[in-house]
Amino acid sequence: MADTMAAPAKVAITLTVNGEQRTGQVEPRTLLVHFLREGLGLTGAHVGCDTSQCGSCVVELNGASVKSCTVLAVQADGAEVLTIEGLGRDGAYHPIQEGFWEKHGLQCGYCTPGMIMSAYGLLKRNPDPSEDEIRHALDGNLCRCTGYQNIVRSIQYAAQLMKDGPTAPVATSAD
Amino acid sequence: MFPNQFAYHRPSTLEEAVGLLAADPDAKVLAGGHSLLPAMKLRLAAPGALVDLASIEGLRGISADGAVTIGAMTTYNQLVDSDELRARLPVVAEVAAGVGDPQVRSLGTLGGSLAHNDPAADFTALMLALGADVTAVGSQGERTIPADEFFLDILTTALGPDEILTAVRIPVPAGRVGMAYQKHEHPASGYAVVGIAAVLALGDDGTCRSARVAVTGCAPTATRAAAAEAALVGQALTPETIAAAAQAAPGGLEITGDLYASAEYRSHLVTVVGRRVLEQAAARARG
């Protein structure tokens, strides 16, 4: 029995994370969120419920919005992953991050990376969503501070900013 | 939470995948992973190996001739976005849009849902009502299994241990046919406490020529509601005949109670959701 109980060999994976090629050695059971956080030090994606309910671990996998607690790291071998850390460019916030800043879209902040990544997935598919469409797009994200009103306003602000295009100010006074 | 240890295989051909399953009775198929991985994280399932179908060509996509064929690895979002389905079987896209949440729909697959056979899944009931055929490939070759013979018991289907569900073939009915699905969903999980799919066909005289009604969420597996079907066939679809069929719907069903809803409450919901979905299907059949 000892042989069958032994841990299977680690598997080498290579994936592109936020535009950079990254490699790692993982057990097949390693979840993508743990590989991102502990393997690559990208702690933006949070582990909340760990049961694919809360959405605080949302990232993009090959352009699809997914919950990284319900994807194995080995499934992402060869894939492109975008995390919250990859949204901003050249020290400037992404318009969605700008929206959360301007419209007070966070309280404790735990759900925020997932909320922003879900908003990113929404605005990619639908650049001009109604309030109702925004609320439906957040079906897989929970905010235990119940700050939904301002989260919706933040995404509306971001949609407007993105519609106005690159002439709109996207840098912030954060620094 | 993380799963038990297991070996991971990502074969590039169906033959290779079937071979891996045949060689290891403790192996399980991984499709979108949105039923299996949560079960493994809770240690409700602990397979020794996973055979990931992600790299096998030809398991994704939607094609149509006389019928619509959907590859097993087609995701819910691909169903939602399909022009082919919107034109020919819009109810499939509608139901896909109501599964889980946007992230679940990114990865969850039709084939995975049917092979898992969760007692509260939406698509099991819909496939029964649509009279779909399931295609499976195993070491004995390929076979076609009618939906009526596919869903056997809780989390149990007619698939053999080395068989892989590869596609679903759904007939596109001609004439005046209305299709609908409605559910009373659990407010937290979104799963159907009771979900009912109905496909009603009208004859030349406007009476109900055929009725297929299937119920999910309230028994060990999705099942046809034979009593409701019998009450509809041959009838003019009036509010009265529909109400009578909905009232008859729980008859013969093995309705179970659980933490969420008692058997008595579920039985009541079958009549309420039944009336709504039959009204909707009848209105769509009338056009």
Side-chain angles (χ1 to χ4, degrees):
Chain A
M1 283 308 284
D3 281 343
T4 58
M5 294 302 287
K10 286 195 175 183
V11 179
I13 59 170
T14 302
L15 54 166
T16 305
V17 181
N18 301 331
E20 276 181 45
Q21 187 169 306
R22 308 294 294 263
T23 58
Q25 296 278 333
V26 295
E27 289 183 352
R29 65 176 173 171
T30 304
L31 302 170
L32 178 59
V33 68
H34 291 304
F35 176 68
L36 292 172
R37 291 176 57 84
E38 291 146 31
L40 302 182
L42 296 169
T43 54
H46 291 164
V47 180
C49 70
D50 207 2
T51 55
S52 42
Q53 313 283 322
C54 81
S56 65
C57 64
V58 170
V59 301
E60 295 248 321
L61 177 67
N62 288 331
S65 186
V66 305
K67 291 179 172 173
S68 58
C69 78
T70 311
V71 177
L72 300 169
V74 285
Q75 288 179 283
D77 185 25
E80 293 209 11
V81 173
L82 177 69
T83 72
I84 183 89
E85 288 92 342
L87 278 193
R89 284 283 179 270
D90 305 321
Y93 282 159
H94 185 277
I96 303 173
Q97 294 170 308
E98 173 86 2
F100 274 69
W101 175 274
E102 286 296 330
K103 295 295 173 185
H104 310 288
L106 61 147
Q107 290 175 49
C108 84
Y110 202 91
C111 72
T112 310
M115 288 286 180
I116 289 177
M117 292 308 293
S118 284
Y120 181 87
L122 164 69
L123 295 178
K124 218 173 48 170
R125 279 168 74 103
N126 179 3
D128 191 20
S130 66
E131 179 181 336
D132 192 51
E133 286 169 332
I134 292 173
R135 289 181 184 276
H136 275 96
L138 300 178
D139 191 15
N141 295 80
L142 298 177
C143 168
R144 294 304 302 269
C145 306
T146 70
Y148 296 103
Q149 300 292 0
N150 282 355
I151 290 170
V152 172
R153 285 183 195 122
S154 301
I155 297 169
Q156 287 172 320
Y157 181 93
Q160 189 61 46
L161 207 56
M162 290 164 78
K163 209 161 37 172
D164 292 343
T167 54
V170 289
T172 82
S173 56
D175 45 14
Chain B
M1 292 183 294
F2 37 87
N4 62 296
Q5 297 279 7
F6 56 86
Y8 174 79
H9 306 283
R10 199 200 287 183
S12 52
T13 67
L14 208 48
E15 294 68 30
E16 207 184 327
V18 168
L20 286 163
L21 290 177
D24 183 357
D26 201 22
K28 273 197 78 85
V29 172
L30 177 65
H34 274 55
S35 297
L36 180 58
L37 293 179
M40 288 171 64
K41 287 165 70 177
L42 294 169
R43 307 286 173 122
L44 298 172
L50 291 184
V51 179
D52 186 351
L53 304 185
S55 292
I56 299 176
E57 296 279 332
L59 293 182
R60 284 176 208 275
I62 298 157
S63 61
D65 41 49
V68 170
T69 301
I70 304 175
M73 288 290 281
T74 306
T75 65
Y76 296 121
N77 269 342
Q78 288 169 332
L79 300 178
V80 173
D81 292 342
S82 164
D83 294 334
E84 195 78 63
L85 287 176
R86 294 236 170 246
R88 306 185 66 174
L89 285 170
V91 69
V92 175
E94 272 174 30
V95 171
V99 174
D101 59 45
Q103 286 74 32
V104 171
R105 295 193 287 272
S106 288
L107 291 180
T109 65
L110 175 60
S113 171
L114 300 182
H116 182 64
N117 195 18
D118 189 290
D122 301 311
F123 270 102
T124 51
L126 186 63
M127 292 301 125
L128 284 169
L130 290 170
D133 285 325
V134 170
T135 305
V137 171
S139 49
Q140 303 299 310
E142 182 177 293
R143 66 181 178 128
T144 299
I145 309 163
D148 280 327
E149 296 165 21
F150 186 74
F151 306 109
L152 300 183
D153 202 345
I154 185 163
L155 306 177
T156 306
T157 69
L159 287 173
D162 68 352
E163 277 188 316
I164 295 172
L165 195 167
T166 56
V168 180
R169 190 172 161 85
I170 307 170
V172 181
R176 300 171 71 194
V177 179
M179 312 174 208
Y181 175 79
Q182 292 203 20
K183 61 178 164 180
H184 180 88
E185 59 181 55
H186 187 275
S189 73
Y191 272 99
V193 178
V194 166
I196 305 181
V199 176
L200 304 179
L202 300 184
D204 292 336
D205 62 355
T207 61
C208 182
R209 177 167 53 83
S210 77
R212 291 181 69 97
V213 181
V215 181
T216 187
C218 56
T221 184
T223 178
R224 298 269 296 277
E229 294 176 351
L232 290 164
V233 175
Q235 301 290 321
L237 295 178
T238 64
E240 292 74 27
T241 59
I242 284 173
Q247 213 56 44
L253 299 180
E254 186 195 335
I255 296 179
T256 47
D258 60 20
L259 193 62
Y260 302 136
S262 66
E264 187 186 14
Y265 177 51
R266 272 204 171 83
S267 182
H268 172 69
L269 283 178
V270 169
T271 68
V272 173
V273 177
R275 185 175 48 74
R276 290 177 188 160
V277 76
L278 292 174
E279 289 282 8
Q280 189 181 22
R284 287 176 172 183
R286 289 185 207 107

